Amino acid sequence: MELVFSKWVFAFSLCCWLIFCVALSVEGLHGDSKVRGVNLGGWLVIEGWIKPSLFDGIPNGDMLDGTQVQFKSVTLQKYVCAENGGGMDISVNRDAASSWETLTLWRVSESEFQFRTTQGQFLTCYGNGCSVSATATSASSTETFQIERNNNGRIHIKIKSGTYLQATIGNQLTADYPGTPGWDDNAATFEMSIIANNLHGDYQLANGYGHNKAKQVLEGHRNSFINVGDFEFLYRHGINTVRIPVGWWIAFDPDPPAPFIGGTLEALDNAFSWAQAYNIKCIIDLHAAPGSQNGMEHSASRDGTVGWPTSDYISQTLHVIDFLASRYARHPALLGIELLNEPSAAAVSLDTIVSYYKQGYEVVRKRSPSAYVIICQRIGNADPLELYQADIGSHNIVVDLHYYNLFDTFFVNMSVLDNIQFIYQSREAQLQALNGANGPLVFIGEWVNEWNVTSGSQSDYQAFGRAQLEVYDAASFGWAYWTLKNDRQHWDFEWNIRNGYLQLSNSQKKKNFNSLIWLLLASVWFHLCQIL
């Protein structure tokens, strides 16, 4: 009797263990229990730093949408200023430049621009003889100015009628310069300083080239940057999932609103076909939402502002999610849909993002009962636990965290050892806490084998990569490397693998071993049931 009881205790314990193992697995994956993924970044959503050459042919390429400029009168030696950041007449009266003297470009053509102040108003001039003010809340022809440049940083600015602006002795900016100015020290000549030219996304590329040329550039890029051979490479190296960033304009393909260029939907269809052929799953990641959720180039922001948290834009975003879910819900390669990438904690409130995530979950569930719904942590000062406490949905919910030892002064002076210890101590502790929380699965949706260490050797990088793989393998949903391809070598997954900087073999063996143990224990359980 005692022997039979012991067998039942052992069988019950084994059953609990098997249930626990199954609970940590990801439904729909073949072979592996969790996601081992790579991001196809810089493909269907442009990020200029990934492939800078895409922007090489744009005329006046240093004056793209979102570029910040300052103008200084060569006669007065004073800066053009939008007093109080906008809402008043423009003056030319400042000895030094800061925010009020900084204007953001909206590009109309190669030589025509609109100027936006820090408070969001546009410079405007109704015609010849007017004083320029920063009072327009939207931009049209009276807010459009033409810039002429020479090779020495000097410019002329004129209005639609052809009249040049000048800085008056009364420190005003007026449209009444007589005739055509030369490049000497005259009232219509200014020095232009480019303070920031950081945005190189889909908006800048398309609006910079113009529709026809942008279409040619993007078609060539989409057809060559990622192809079926890349999926074969990923399959051979044990990758079972790709996270594919897309922009909101994909829902309007083949003719999305200007300046965006159609063609991303066909490319995404191709990716799903290639993935299916190689037994790889796809996560569709809404990387760029209408209005921009974080003001960065990867969210297709025009000028760095965050306009997304409004009812109209959120409604449009839900339409995009519904479009994607309805198109791919029945596709065998779909693993999940990420409702939004990296919303800004500074600009998107917790209440707003939680409300959107709950609505997005319901939209996906109407199309698919089982596809994973992935919700991304807000970037900035936000705790991932805030999403665990939000009760977004009941089934197959995943929280996406992005782990970089970069982009924060905290990491600037870290040594090789410091970086590795941070992974094992801080990152591992957070993952353990989240894995143990009663809530969504955990996904390290972006990480990279790069840091702020400037003199790291190959063995240093190997140790850093090994630490990340060991720790992130513990995430209950898995991980995805950023990115598959990149002009910056250490960000490039293929380069890391081919050159031995990132070594997946040990981790893969561990997963294969775990799968084998699971099968053996399942077999033992079956035989015990037969005996008992």
Side-chain angles (χ1 to χ4, degrees):
M1 179 67 182
E2 183 178 346
L3 179 61
V4 172
F5 179 75
S6 298
K7 288 179 179 179
W8 273 108
V9 169
F10 175 75
F12 177 77
S13 302
L14 182 58
C15 180
C16 292
W17 189 89
L18 289 172
I19 291 171
F20 177 75
C21 286
V22 171
L24 288 181
S25 66
V26 173
E27 297 174 16
L29 288 180
H30 301 276
D32 284 328
S33 61
K34 291 187 283 190
V35 167
R36 296 167 56 81
V38 171
N39 285 273
L40 306 187
W43 183 36
L44 305 185
V45 175
I46 297 300
E47 300 185 42
W49 67 277
I50 292 178
K51 190 176 179 183
S53 60
L54 288 173
F55 292 78
D56 286 350
I58 299 178
N60 280 338
D62 58 346
M63 297 180 71
L64 301 173
D65 287 280
T67 300
Q68 295 182 331
V69 297
Q70 295 169 348
F71 302 133
K72 184 178 184 180
S73 165
V74 297
T75 54
L76 300 181
Q77 287 296 296
K78 304 283 186 181
Y79 285 94
V80 172
C81 174
E83 299 288 347
N84 295 320
M88 304 172 62
D89 281 352
I90 294 294
S91 58
V92 190
N93 62 355
R94 296 303 173 100
D95 294 323
S98 59
S99 62
W100 292 357
E101 294 74 42
T102 302
L103 302 171
T104 300
L105 299 182
W106 278 26
R107 183 174 172 127
V108 177
S109 70
E110 176 181 339
S111 60
E112 293 178 304
F113 302 88
Q114 295 156 346
F115 306 118
R116 199 177 193 188
T117 68
T118 54
Q119 294 297 323
Q121 297 95 340
F122 292 89
L123 269 58
T124 186
C125 181
Y126 58 80
N128 295 346
C130 77
S131 292
V132 178
S133 66
T135 54
T137 56
S138 60
S140 60
S141 60
T142 52
E143 290 73 48
T144 301
F145 301 84
Q146 184 173 347
I147 288 185
E148 299 172 349
R149 308 175 72 176
N150 73 357
N151 295 326
N152 298 315
R154 290 192 168 193
I155 65 161
H156 300 142
I157 309 172
K158 61 181 179 181
I159 62 175
K160 280 288 190 179
S161 67
T163 301
Y164 289 88
L165 302 186
Q166 67 170 331
T168 69
I169 352 175
N171 299 107
Q172 298 299 303
L173 188 64
T174 58
D176 55 4
Y177 185 83
T180 302
W183 294 108
D184 56 346
D185 292 349
N186 61 72
T189 299
F190 300 83
E191 294 174 350
M192 181 175 71
S193 300
I194 294 176
I195 305 306
N197 181 26
N198 299 325
L199 295 177
H200 292 77
D202 280 272
Y203 203 106
Q204 287 72 29
L205 187 148
N207 208 35
Y209 278 116
H211 180 83
N212 292 338
K213 180 63 176 176
K215 184 177 181 182
Q216 178 185 340
V217 169
L218 286 175
E219 282 180 351
H221 173 65
R222 292 165 185 165
N223 290 334
S224 61
F225 192 62
I226 302 292
N227 56 54
V228 66
D230 297 308
F231 283 76
E232 190 270 338
F233 173 87
L234 294 175
Y235 172 78
R236 282 193 293 108
H237 288 89
I239 297 301
N240 62 22
T241 307
V242 287
R243 178 175 180 256
I244 310 175
V246 301
W248 63 268
W249 54 93
I250 195 170
F252 301 88
D253 226 74
D255 298 307
F260 297 101
I261 305 298
T264 55
L265 187 59
E266 180 183 359
L268 185 58
D269 284 345
N270 289 338
F272 267 77
S273 297
W274 300 333
Q276 184 179 3
Y278 283 99
N279 226 4
I280 289 173
K281 294 293 184 178
C282 296
I283 293 170
I284 306 173
D285 156 41
L286 185 59
H287 221 66
S292 175
Q293 73 275 16
N294 56 31
M296 299 181 186
E297 67 182 29
H298 62 244
S299 64
S301 176
R302 180 172 192 174
D303 63 3
T305 57
V306 179
W308 179 77
T310 66
S311 57
D312 285 348
Y313 281 140
I314 291 174
S315 176
Q316 291 177 38
T317 309
L318 291 169
H319 164 74
V320 176
I321 296 299
D322 186 55
F323 170 83
L324 293 169
S326 63
R327 186 177 183 89
Y328 296 102
R330 297 181 183 278
H331 199 290
L334 179 69
L335 182 65
I337 295 177
E338 186 153 356
L339 299 179
L340 192 62
N341 177 71
E342 295 186 345
S344 166
V348 181
S349 71
L350 179 59
D351 287 345
T352 298
I353 197 62
V354 166
S355 173
Y356 166 71
Y357 282 158
K358 287 182 177 180
Q359 294 176 77
Y361 174 85
E362 295 300 331
V363 168
V364 175
R365 282 290 164 261
K366 286 177 183 177
R367 304 292 185 177
S368 170
S370 60
Y372 284 91
V373 178
I374 303 171
I375 56 177
C376 190
Q377 177 190 11
R378 295 187 297 163
I379 56 169
N381 188 20
D383 186 341
L385 276 174
E386 68 186 19
L387 297 179
Y388 280 76
Q389 300 159 357
D391 190 24
I392 303 296
S394 60
H395 179 60
N396 281 4
I397 289 282
V398 180
V399 170
D400 179 7
L401 310 181
H402 294 173
Y403 279 169
Y404 292 103
N405 283 27
L406 293 159
F407 312 126
D408 191 309
T409 54
F410 177 80
F411 298 106
V412 169
N413 295 315
M414 278 191 175
S415 66
V416 171
L417 184 59
D418 291 337
N419 275 278
I420 293 173
Q421 286 180 335
F422 182 82
I423 298 297
Y424 281 121
Q425 295 170 3
S426 179
R427 302 283 199 221
E428 188 168 31
Q430 185 179 61
L431 275 177
Q432 288 173 348
L434 295 177
N435 281 338
N438 182 23
L441 297 173
V442 187
F443 180 37
I444 311 305
E446 293 184 17
W447 65 277
V448 66
N449 199 30
E450 183 60 293
W451 47 14
N452 283 317
V453 176
T454 56
S455 57
S457 65
Q458 181 171 2
S459 60
D460 291 334
Y461 274 99
Q462 288 170 339
F464 183 53
R466 184 164 54 250
Q468 293 188 91
L469 284 168
E470 288 178 5
V471 171
Y472 303 163
D473 264 344
S476 52
F477 189 73
W479 52 260
Y481 191 90
W482 186 274
T483 59
L484 174 59
K485 294 184 179 180
N486 202 305
D487 277 12
R488 302 186 186 189
Q489 290 179 332
H490 291 288
W491 292 78
D492 184 307
F493 180 79
E494 288 187 352
W495 181 89
N496 274 274
I497 296 298
R498 295 185 193 282
N499 290 278
Y501 280 74
L502 197 60
Q503 300 169 318
L504 301 181
S505 56
N506 289 336
S507 181
Q508 183 63 50
K509 288 176 183 177
K510 177 183 175 182
K511 283 195 168 289
N512 289 341
F513 176 75
N514 288 341
S515 298
L516 178 61
I517 291 296
W518 190 93
L519 290 171
L520 289 172
L521 287 172
S523 176
V524 170
W525 167 245
F526 174 78
H527 289 296
L528 276 174
C529 289
Q530 298 283 57
I531 295 170
L532 298 176

